[in-house]
Amino acid sequence: MIRFRDKNPVVVGAVGLAAILVVLGLALNSTALLNIGGTGHSALFSEAGGLKEGDPVKVGGFDIGRVTAVELDGPDVRVDFRVTDPEVVLGSQTSAAVSVATVLGDKFLKLTPAGDGELDGADPIPRTRTAAPYDLPDALSTLTTKSEDIDVDRLSTALDTVSETLDGKGPQLRTAVDGVGRLSQTIASRDAQLRELLGHAQQVTGVLAERSDQVKLLITDGNLLLGELQQRQRDISALLANASALAAELNGLVADNREQIGPALDRLNEALEILQQNEDNIAKILKGAVGYATGVGEAVGNGPFFNAYVQNLIPGNLIPLSDYLPKLDAQPQGGGR
């Protein structure tokens, strides 16, 4: 690799100079670059209205292209422009107007798409569908016509009447003017407060703009909550209606079986009274049953048999027909096991 310091300075200088010339050429002909790409169209105006080459072309406030040329075409002004936004579709009845972009007088070409199909780039938009910010010849012609229609005598009489009226109303008029002046002074003295109020309003607007997604989500969730509450209200209404129907059915059931239910309830009350009266006895029985069950469990829990003693039982050898009875184990005490 050859180091930069070892390269031929003449070649390096020539290449650098050529690159600088290319950049300067592009900068000086930047407007011509607007003709590259996009779709070319034109429109006829009665007045250029301060529109010049390089001004933006807008649809709905968005830049979609640039004005490429403004030149005379007979009695009209021909404005050539190029649309570089591929998503914009200009209908066959699209209209154009020269509008003011800033307070400094900058202009832009405003397009209003309309009609079916697409705008033909070969035919310019006619003057019937274009509007200039002003038309000086038409304005002068209208002024001349209107001036000729003025009745000078009646105008003079009207001015005299106004003069006499104002002459007689001098104090009142002066008071009104003073009031307007004081109002202007009040507004001027509160200029800082008004400016601060507008600043706070702008801050509030900015906060709302930043939180637009949260506000939208809150409104959506609120709609869902209200929908759920309405559904719960319908469910509760249906539940109350069904409860009312059930109560009506139970009332009918009680009315139909009043003769049978009454005696049954009376007997149930009597049984409850007996149980209450014998509550202590029942408790004693249950307490004794625990000890009895424990003893029986200990007696029968030592094997597949258990021992039992029956008092005053006659020995087996003294019982007639003992051969036909089960054999008993005779005990010398006179008992049996």
Side-chain angles (χ1 to χ4, degrees):
M1 296 293 295
I2 302 176
R3 293 180 299 177
F4 182 77
R5 68 178 64 180
D6 296 333
K7 292 182 179 180
N8 190 346
V10 177
V11 176
V12 174
V15 172
L17 181 61
I20 293 174
L21 292 176
V22 170
V23 172
L24 289 176
L26 293 176
L28 295 176
N29 296 276
S30 58
T31 305
L33 297 176
L34 298 175
N35 297 327
I36 300 175
T39 304
H41 298 280
S42 59
L44 299 178
F45 289 87
S46 60
E47 293 284 343
L51 192 68
K52 60 184 180 299
E53 183 180 357
D55 287 341
V57 179
K58 297 185 178 183
V59 171
F62 292 93
D63 291 348
I64 64 167
R66 294 285 174 179
V67 175
T68 57
V70 180
E71 56 187 11
L72 288 174
D73 187 0
D76 302 325
V77 175
R78 182 186 180 96
V79 177
D80 296 331
F81 59 94
R82 183 167 294 276
V83 178
T84 58
D85 191 341
E87 297 182 358
V88 176
V89 178
L90 300 178
S92 59
Q93 299 299 317
T94 298
S95 59
V98 179
S99 300
V100 179
T102 64
V103 294
L104 299 178
D106 295 335
K107 304 295 192 303
F108 68 93
L109 183 62
K110 178 182 178 182
L111 300 180
T112 304
D116 300 331
E118 295 184 3
L119 184 64
D120 188 1
D123 297 330
I125 301 175
R127 285 185 56 181
T128 56
R129 299 205 306 271
T130 61
Y134 59 86
D135 192 340
L136 184 59
D138 292 343
L140 294 176
S141 177
T142 302
L143 176 61
T144 302
T145 304
K146 296 297 181 182
S147 300
E148 292 177 353
D149 295 338
I150 294 176
D151 190 343
V152 178
D153 295 334
R154 294 182 62 183
L155 177 61
S156 177
T157 303
L159 292 176
D160 292 338
T161 303
V162 171
S163 177
E164 293 175 359
T165 302
L166 294 178
D167 187 25
K169 300 295 183 180
Q172 295 85 343
L173 180 62
R174 186 178 296 108
T175 302
V177 173
D178 292 339
V180 174
R182 288 193 299 270
L183 178 61
S184 300
Q185 291 177 358
T186 302
I187 294 176
S189 63
R190 301 296 177 86
D191 181 69
Q193 291 85 342
L194 292 175
R195 188 173 301 172
E196 184 179 0
L197 177 61
L198 293 176
H200 291 322
Q202 185 175 4
Q203 292 178 2
V204 172
T205 305
V207 172
L208 291 178
E210 293 176 357
R211 303 295 177 84
S212 60
D213 294 337
Q214 291 86 339
V215 174
K216 188 184 298 182
L217 181 61
L218 178 61
I219 294 174
T220 303
D221 294 341
N223 291 332
L224 294 176
L225 177 60
L226 291 177
E228 187 65 24
L229 290 177
Q230 291 177 353
Q231 182 62 35
R232 295 297 177 86
Q233 182 183 8
R234 289 191 291 268
D235 295 340
I236 292 173
S237 298
L239 179 61
L240 291 177
N242 294 331
S244 299
L246 177 61
E249 293 294 334
L250 291 176
N251 289 331
L253 178 62
V254 171
D256 295 339
N257 298 276
R258 188 180 302 275
E259 297 179 355
Q260 291 81 4
I261 294 175
L265 293 176
D266 293 338
R267 294 189 183 91
L268 179 60
N269 289 331
E270 293 175 357
L272 291 175
E273 291 178 357
I274 293 173
L275 291 175
Q276 289 178 355
Q277 294 173 0
N278 294 278
E279 182 178 2
D280 295 337
N281 297 330
I282 294 173
K284 292 178 181 180
I285 291 172
L286 294 176
K287 185 176 180 181
V290 173
Y292 175 76
T294 303
V296 172
E298 293 177 354
V300 302
N302 56 359
F305 59 89
F306 69 94
N307 298 325
Y309 173 74
V310 180
Q311 188 176 359
N312 298 325
L313 183 64
I314 301 174
N317 56 353
L318 299 179
I319 298 176
L321 304 178
S322 59
D323 295 336
Y324 301 97
L325 295 177
K327 298 298 184 180
L328 298 177
D329 185 12
Q331 298 295 329
Q333 291 83 359
R337 289 183 179 270

